[in-house]
Amino acid sequence: MTDLILTEIAGGIATVTLNRPEAMNALSKVLRHRLYKVMTALDADDGVRAVILTGAGTRAFTAGLDLKELGSQEGALGAANAEGADENPVKAIENCRKPVIGAINGVAITGGFEVALACDVLIASSNARFADTHARVGVVPGWGLSQKLSRMIGISRAKELSFTGNFLDAATAERWGLVNRVVAPESLLAEARRLAADMGSVDPAFLAGYKRLIDEGYAASFGEGLAIEHRQSSAANSAVRPGELEARRTAVQARGRTQG
């Protein structure tokens, strides 16, 4: 039986591939549970510093929930509102304390769009496209898209996408701030791995705390976010020793010189 999730670990970077190319990597119940298992294992693996999530083939990152499965099983639509990480792939990704880079290699549609938004950073190939077709299939989003998208690209642009179901091309997605950059399809994984390696060179415990700080603040009001930062910053910075700070400053300067 074909493994629905492929995992490759090299140099502290895990590449996780949704592997149902014949079904546009649709998120069947079995695939969602397997993704939960994989992400949980990678989160617990001290040898993994960063994770890349992508889809098999060139047609799709993921087309979202498997509509054939939903249409053939009574109660299957409950997956759209599942709160447990073993059924909700967004939770499975967000629960990972390590940076997760989405390498979007084709279409990311509806639930697949929500899975993309669960990643910390998005790199898109030039043939990537995004679409929110919830309104067209008559299903209300339950994995966060209605709230996240407007915060990322602005409420008017989010409404345009959600009210029309139209596709957003990679170049426009970059211009709107949805993806960090767009590269040629053949360069997608190499670019994602370069970025993952940069993130992986940071102390993992510090990085996990910084990710948590940003995510907690993002989910709060601006004032609450500043208060969260103040509490965590005050506690953490009081433990930093001057000698440690000087050594790190020197390393940062040396690294900066190599980057031009």
Side-chain angles (χ1 to χ4, degrees), residues 40-65:
T40 300
L42 294 176
D43 182 62
D45 188 343
D46 291 338
V48 173
R49 297 293 192 95
V51 179
I52 297 169
L53 180 66
T54 193
T58 58
R59 294 174 61 208
F61 171 67
T62 170
L65 281 170

Side-chain angles (χ1 to χ4, degrees), residues 35 39 53 89-96 100 115 118-119 211:
L35 179 63
M39 294 303 296
L53 180 66
V90 168
K91 294 287 187 183
I93 295 164
E94 291 177 341
N95 285 348
C96 183
V100 180
V115 168
C119 300
K211 174 176 174 173

Side-chain angles (χ1 to χ4, degrees), residues 152-168:
M152 294 181 73
I153 65 174
I155 192 168
S156 295
R157 286 170 170 168
K159 285 180 177 178
E160 176 185 337
L161 292 182
S162 297
F163 293 175
T164 63
N166 291 344
F167 277 90
L168 183 72

Side-chain angles (χ1 to χ4, degrees), residues 1 13 42 44 49 60 64 75 83 86 90 93 95 101 104 110 113 133 138-139 146 153 200 224-225 250-251 258:
M1 181 179 177
I13 300 168
L42 294 176
R49 297 293 192 95
E83 295 188 73
D86 58 334
V90 168
I93 295 164
N95 285 348
I101 298 170
I104 313 302
T110 311
F113 200 169
T133 62
V139 176
S146 69
I153 65 174
E224 291 169 338
T250 301
T258 69

